[in-house]
Amino acid sequence: MASAAKSGTLVKARTATFLDDDDINDGGNGDRDPSADKDRAGGSARSGELEAAEQKRTWSLADSKGKVVFNATVPKAPIPAGHTDAVTIGRNIDCKVPVESSKVSKNHCVILWTAAADAERDYPNAVVEDSSSNGTFVNGVKVGRGNSAEIKNGDVLSLGKSDDAPKYTFSIQDPSSAGNEPTASPRKRKLESDAEEASKSKKHSPEKEETRALESSLTCPICHDLFHVPVSAMPCLHSFCGGCISDWVARSRECPQCRLKIRTISRNHQLKSVVDIFLKSHPEKARDDEDIADLDSKNRVQQKVGRCFFFRPLTGDQPLSLKRDDDDADDDVEDEDEDEDEDESDDEPPPAERCQQCPPNAHPTRPACTAATIHIRCVDCMRLMPEMHQDNQKCAFCLTPHCNNYWPTGCASRLNNFRQLRDFQFFTIPAFAFSSNAFEQGVLNNHLRAKGLNLASVLSDVLAKVAAGTLEVRATNVSVSSEPGAAGVLVSGDAHCCIQCATKIFAEFCYLYRRAIDPTDLPDNVKNREDCWYGRQCRTQSHNPRHAQTRNHVCDATR
């Protein structure tokens, strides 16, 4: 009896050794938890998914902040037929990785997978193809436009040479090794965090910021790299690499920065000196020899020191071509063979710039220039003309030269900004008239409207007083005054002047005309005001509308 009980206990113990944890927890009575069965089924499904995932690897791009901007799955080698997906990176919104940066090309580069597999790996090689103008770099090494380079796990892809260029880290994730990475200890994590903070503080040190700011000011806005043979466009004075702007003006005559029409381009020697000094302190910022050779081959602005190119006026949207002012209208820029001939004769002085009267040019109505003729340059079309000391060549007040009254055909710019004072037409009161007092400007406008007059009446009325000798106005390049003993040139209707000086003179005429209006012709809210202590020199009237309305400023200062 005892042996039977003992045998039964042994059988029960042996049976328990084959039960799982759930059976043991249930007391071995077979009552299983349904949730446990569900977890077991889920585990089997996850196991199946893991086995399927092991057939593929994933890759991703993470920006400088660690944020994943793109990820995809890469099949094992060999690449199946039809797998031609390419990941484009650029400024174009259609790119799979769009980048919001003016330093990035519309289609900057492309990442794709080659059919040839690495001998040590069972998945294809990733390559990046550079299609940008500013360059694509892999771990600091330039790929070059039209070239490709292999990228591996952990490589840094930079969309430019500058420190602030967008950067992405290329990563390949192997599912078979997922979850096997050792967890860093708290001490190690703290050391890594301290090192990262120290790196950030060093990166943002004052010296680093100053270097970055200086490099930014010495960067060409077209290629976004340091200037090489810097040149400046006129009249906006924006600077570019000689090769970059030469390539640009072949398509457009507008400045890439401000869209102003370019008239001339000339070497900027001072800027080149600053770039040379910067490169001596930071030789790692120097351009590649390939870039320099490419820019030199494109540079059509100057082939010799001291030569400046001028652009002839064009009609419509005709693309701009580089021409010298001393070339005939049909002469294009020299071809490559002629450039080589020029380089061989660099010891010869560059040809002098000539006006329409300089030999061998022959003007039909004007005498030819001689070696002693002094030339001046029109500020509108930037062309030369002989200085004849005539009133119709320079503004009587600021002395800026204009040629539209000298040449029978007028100025090539067709701006017509230079004429006799009486011939100017004004349709609005200048904004700076009455010391920018909008209320006093409105008083004059309302008076003229009530009398059926316009601003032409203001100009003719004041000029009539000037011609009669009852009023004297003098002007310089910076000021206009009717005060007794004021310095400057006496204003008259016959004086030739530019539009800038004419506008300043007309602003003074508006004040003189308003001051001469009979108070009985003014409304009560205007004529019953007290005079401001500071009169027309008051600085509050321009920004305090209430003060401008309650005080009269068309008067002289009493304090």
Side-chain angles (χ1 to χ4, degrees):
M1 200 66 178
S3 61
K6 184 176 180 181
S7 175
T9 304
L10 180 60
V11 171
K12 184 176 182 180
R14 288 179 177 177
T15 306
T17 58
F18 295 95
L19 298 179
D20 56 14
D21 294 339
D22 294 333
D23 293 332
I24 295 174
N25 294 334
D26 294 338
N29 56 6
D31 296 334
R32 305 180 62 87
D33 186 1
S35 63
D37 295 337
K38 184 177 181 180
D39 292 341
R40 183 178 294 103
S44 300
R46 286 192 297 271
S47 177
E49 292 176 358
L50 181 60
E51 291 178 359
E54 288 180 350
Q55 303 301 321
K56 297 182 179 181
R57 289 177 173 85
T58 60
W59 69 276
S60 62
L61 287 177
D63 59 16
S64 56
K65 297 181 180 180
K67 179 181 179 181
V68 176
V69 297
F70 186 85
N71 60 78
T73 302
V74 180
K76 284 189 174 183
I79 296 180
H83 185 82
T84 58
D85 290 343
V87 178
T88 55
I89 305 175
R91 190 159 38 89
N92 196 330
I93 59 175
D94 295 332
C95 292
K96 292 187 177 179
V97 183
V99 183
E100 296 182 358
S101 175
S102 60
K103 297 183 179 181
V104 177
S105 301
K106 288 186 176 180
N107 296 289
H108 201 94
C109 61
V110 179
I111 296 178
L112 43 84
W113 296 84
T114 59
D118 195 320
E120 300 179 357
R121 296 176 297 184
D122 58 349
Y123 55 90
N125 295 334
V127 296
V128 56
E129 292 184 354
D130 188 4
S131 57
S132 68
S133 57
N134 303 333
T136 302
F137 297 80
V138 177
N139 296 330
V141 180
K142 186 174 182 179
V143 178
R145 187 170 188 175
N147 299 327
S148 60
E150 181 182 356
I151 51 177
K152 301 179 180 180
N153 185 30
D155 286 350
V156 177
L157 187 68
S158 179
L159 307 185
K161 188 177 181 181
S162 59
D163 295 337
D164 58 346
K167 296 178 176 61
Y168 300 95
T169 302
F170 177 81
S171 302
I172 298 178
Q173 294 81 28
D174 190 351
S176 62
S177 60
N180 295 331
E181 295 81 7
T183 304
S185 64
R187 176 177 176 79
K188 185 176 181 180
R189 288 198 298 269
K190 184 177 186 305
L191 292 175
E192 292 177 351
S193 177
D194 294 344
E196 184 179 358
E197 292 296 331
S199 176
K200 288 182 179 180
S201 62
K202 183 178 179 180
K203 181 178 180 180
H204 297 286
S205 61
E207 295 79 6
K208 190 79 173 181
E209 294 295 335
E210 291 177 1
T211 301
R212 186 180 292 107
L214 180 58
E215 181 183 3
S216 177
S217 62
L218 299 178
T219 299
C220 173
I222 296 179
C223 65
H224 300 289
D225 208 335
L226 287 179
F227 287 115
H228 176 66
V229 189
V231 298
S232 296
M234 291 290 289
C236 62
L237 295 178
H238 286 124
S239 298
F240 313 92
C241 297
C244 295
I245 193 63
S246 298
D247 194 27
W248 174 272
V249 297
R251 303 185 300 270
S252 172
R253 62 178 298 184
E254 296 179 346
C255 172
Q257 288 285 87
C258 62
R259 302 302 174 182
L260 193 65
K261 298 295 183 182
I262 300 177
R263 296 174 182 167
T264 65
I265 297 179
S266 58
R267 287 280 297 272
N268 193 328
H269 300 285
Q270 291 181 336
L271 184 57
K272 184 180 184 302
S273 300
V274 176
V275 174
D276 292 341
I277 295 173
F278 179 81
L279 288 177
K280 287 182 180 179
S281 303
H282 305 277
E284 71 279 1
K285 302 290 186 180
R287 283 179 176 266
D288 299 335
D289 294 338
E290 182 182 353
D291 289 345
I292 293 177
D294 182 54
L295 288 174
D296 289 340
S297 64
K298 294 179 180 178
N299 189 358
R300 316 300 296 167
V301 178
Q302 287 183 324
Q303 300 294 341
K304 292 184 179 181
V305 176
R307 176 170 296 180
C308 176
F309 281 86
F310 292 81
F311 301 145
R312 301 185 182 278
L314 303 177
T315 58
D317 296 331
Q318 179 183 355
L320 184 63
S321 61
L322 289 172
K323 294 177 180 290
R324 292 195 307 273
D325 198 44
D326 55 352
D327 291 341
D328 294 332
D330 296 331
D331 289 343
D332 294 329
V333 179
E334 296 86 355
D335 56 19
E336 295 295 334
D337 296 335
E338 293 175 343
D339 289 339
E340 294 176 359
D341 296 337
E342 274 190 341
D343 294 338
E344 295 176 358
S345 59
D346 280 343
D347 295 336
E348 300 178 2
E353 186 183 350
R354 295 187 289 267
C355 75
Q356 298 182 30
Q357 296 179 215
C358 291
N361 299 333
H363 197 275
T365 60
R366 298 188 180 277
C369 298
T370 64
T373 303
I374 298 176
H375 289 79
I376 54 179
R377 191 182 302 280
C378 174
V379 297
D380 292 328
C381 67
M382 304 302 295
R383 290 190 173 186
L384 293 179
M385 61 178 170
E387 185 175 16
M388 306 301 293
H389 301 285
Q390 298 176 356
D391 295 338
N392 62 349
Q393 280 190 299
K394 292 183 179 181
C395 175
F397 309 107
C398 65
L399 302 180
T400 55
H402 298 262
C403 70
N404 59 310
N405 286 335
Y406 179 79
W407 300 115
T409 56
C411 180
S413 67
R414 302 292 186 264
L415 295 177
N416 199 20
N417 287 338
F418 181 76
R419 65 187 85 169
Q420 288 182 315
L421 180 59
R422 65 163 55 92
D423 294 333
F424 279 96
Q425 293 181 342
F426 298 94
F427 302 98
T428 59
I429 298 176
F432 54 86
F434 299 99
S435 299
S436 301
N437 188 330
F439 181 79
E440 296 295 350
Q441 296 174 12
V443 171
L444 178 57
N445 276 325
N446 293 335
H447 173 78
L448 294 175
R449 191 178 300 108
K451 296 293 184 180
L453 304 174
N454 53 29
L455 293 178
S457 303
V458 176
L459 181 63
S460 60
D461 183 81
V462 178
L463 284 178
K465 294 180 180 179
V466 169
T470 58
L471 183 63
E472 183 177 295
V473 181
R474 293 185 176 272
T476 64
N477 61 330
V478 294
S479 64
V480 182
S481 177
S482 58
E483 299 294 332
V489 180
L490 187 64
V491 175
S492 66
D494 298 329
H496 286 81
C497 60
C498 62
I499 183 63
Q500 289 81 8
C501 291
T503 304
K504 290 188 290 186
I505 293 173
F506 182 70
E508 179 67 15
F509 281 9
C510 290
Y511 174 84
L512 297 175
Y513 186 90
R514 163 68 180 84
R515 190 177 64 179
I517 296 177
D518 191 341
T520 58
D521 293 334
L522 297 174
D524 294 339
N525 66 327
V526 174
K527 63 183 178 183
N528 294 332
R529 296 177 300 169
E530 295 183 1
D531 292 344
C532 178
W533 292 341
Y534 301 99
R536 64 182 303 187
Q537 283 81 31
C538 176
R539 293 179 295 181
T540 307
Q541 60 177 321
S542 61
H543 61 271
N544 191 329
R546 179 174 178 80
H547 179 73
Q549 295 176 17
T550 58
R551 292 291 185 270
N552 176 38
H553 294 89
V554 185
C555 59
D556 296 327
T558 57
R559 285 195 177 185

